[in-house]
Amino acid sequence: DVTEAENWIRKTAATLRSERIAPFAKESQRIWQRLRQQSNVDLGAVRLGGTRNVELDVSVDGVSNSALAVMSQGELHSLGLALFLPRAMVDESPFRFVVIDDPVQAMDPSKVDGLAQVLADVGLTRQVVVFTHDERLIEALRRLRLSATVWEVCRGEESVVQVRMSDDPVGRCLNDARAMRGDEDLPEALRAELVASCCRGALEAASHARFRRERLGRGMPHAEVERVLECALTTRQKI
């Protein structure tokens, strides 16, 4: 009788866990569809296989396979986010914010666009804080015209940390040009050269932003866009 009761409890507990995870699994699949972009990896059912064990049904071009065996590092990061975000956003959670550390790492450019859109959706109901060294997420947010506040953390001499609001690359270059133009401690010849260099940087940054927005909007692959930009070496070519 005791053995039969134990088996019933074990089976019932597994059923309850599956029912509890079902809404999370469905949301994970939806987020993965946004993050995967040009990936041919499909995420199917998400099941609890036991204590601290999650089983994922992953297929590549319709053929079932192991996630760890076929997914790149960037895809694994995307999958981790797809599994994490639904749990972090449940109504029962007392936390109304999400903190994510460097999610862009190892992602290809097309997945960064998907990440920006997913985080913007999360930001409708939660405060989203992202730490990253990668400028691509910021570029994607600005190009897709998604709302975000960007703070830049700079560490100076003797590890003095300064936090400042980050402008877009064009505004940053022009602000630097204005600051150096008014710096009387700089020799005049050097000041003129630095101001011109900053203005040239502003032109190039504006050209890059416009080119990416126009070409990606027409459906050109990210890799091709970056290849064309790398071939433009001079300011005239970039414009």
Side-chain angles (χ1 to χ4, degrees):
D1 290 344
V2 171
T3 301
E4 189 175 328
E6 285 181 341
N7 292 336
W8 179 87
I9 289 172
R10 200 173 290 115
K11 183 179 179 180
T12 304
T15 301
L16 291 173
R17 282 200 304 269
S18 298
E19 291 176 356
R20 186 180 179 193
I21 201 175
F24 300 131
K26 189 173 182 180
E27 184 65 11
S28 292
Q29 291 170 338
R30 188 189 71 81
I31 293 175
W32 171 250
Q33 290 300 319
R34 300 286 300 277
L35 290 174
R36 62 180 286 191
Q37 295 294 312
Q38 299 168 9
S39 172
N40 58 349
V41 178
D42 285 312
L43 176 64
V46 179
R47 298 183 301 275
L48 289 175
T51 305
R52 294 185 174 274
N53 183 28
V54 178
E55 296 176 354
L56 306 175
D57 285 347
V58 173
S59 62
V60 182
D61 295 326
V63 180
S64 298
N65 213 319
S66 167
L68 291 176
V70 299
M71 300 180 81
S72 68
Q73 192 66 39
E75 287 173 329
L76 288 173
H77 285 172
S78 299
L79 179 60
L81 275 174
L83 295 173
F84 160 72
L85 288 174
R87 294 295 302 273
M89 294 175 61
V90 294
D91 292 335
E92 294 82 1
S93 172
F95 304 107
R96 314 310 292 178
F97 63 89
V98 177
V99 181
I100 307 174
D101 182 31
D102 211 1
V104 193
Q105 196 178 78
M107 284 187 181
D108 59 56
S110 61
K111 288 184 178 56
V112 176
D113 281 9
L115 174 65
Q117 293 167 339
V118 166
L119 294 181
D121 288 346
V122 176
L124 296 176
T125 57
R126 297 290 188 280
Q127 182 185 29
V128 181
V129 181
V130 179
F131 296 93
T132 182
H133 296 279
D134 199 316
E135 293 277 345
R136 292 179 300 163
L137 178 58
I138 301 168
E139 186 276 327
L141 288 166
R142 287 174 175 147
R143 174 166 42 81
L144 298 172
R145 293 181 169 86
L146 299 173
S147 177
T149 303
V150 182
W151 292 91
E152 185 177 7
V153 181
C154 305
R155 185 170 64 185
E157 295 182 6
E158 300 180 357
S159 293
V160 176
V161 175
Q162 180 184 12
V163 181
R164 64 180 181 181
M165 185 80 76
S166 177
D167 294 316
D168 64 278
V170 176
R172 190 185 311 155
C173 289
L174 292 178
N175 286 337
D176 288 344
R178 293 188 188 97
M180 285 184 282
R181 180 170 177 265
D183 190 346
E184 299 295 336
D185 294 331
L186 285 173
E188 185 174 348
L190 177 61
R191 183 167 66 238
E193 184 176 342
L194 290 174
V195 169
S197 177
C198 288
C199 291
R200 183 171 63 249
L203 284 171
E204 293 178 356
S207 300
H208 279 200
R210 176 66 180 270
F211 184 80
R212 285 192 178 98
R213 185 169 64 250
E214 294 287 340
R215 294 304 175 92
L216 292 173
R218 297 179 200 169
M220 179 183 280
H222 280 79
E224 180 65 16
V225 169
E226 297 305 319
R227 188 194 67 77
V228 175
L229 286 174
E230 288 175 4
C231 292
L233 302 178
T234 66
T235 299
R236 183 179 293 274
Q237 290 171 344
K238 290 175 182 178
I239 293 175

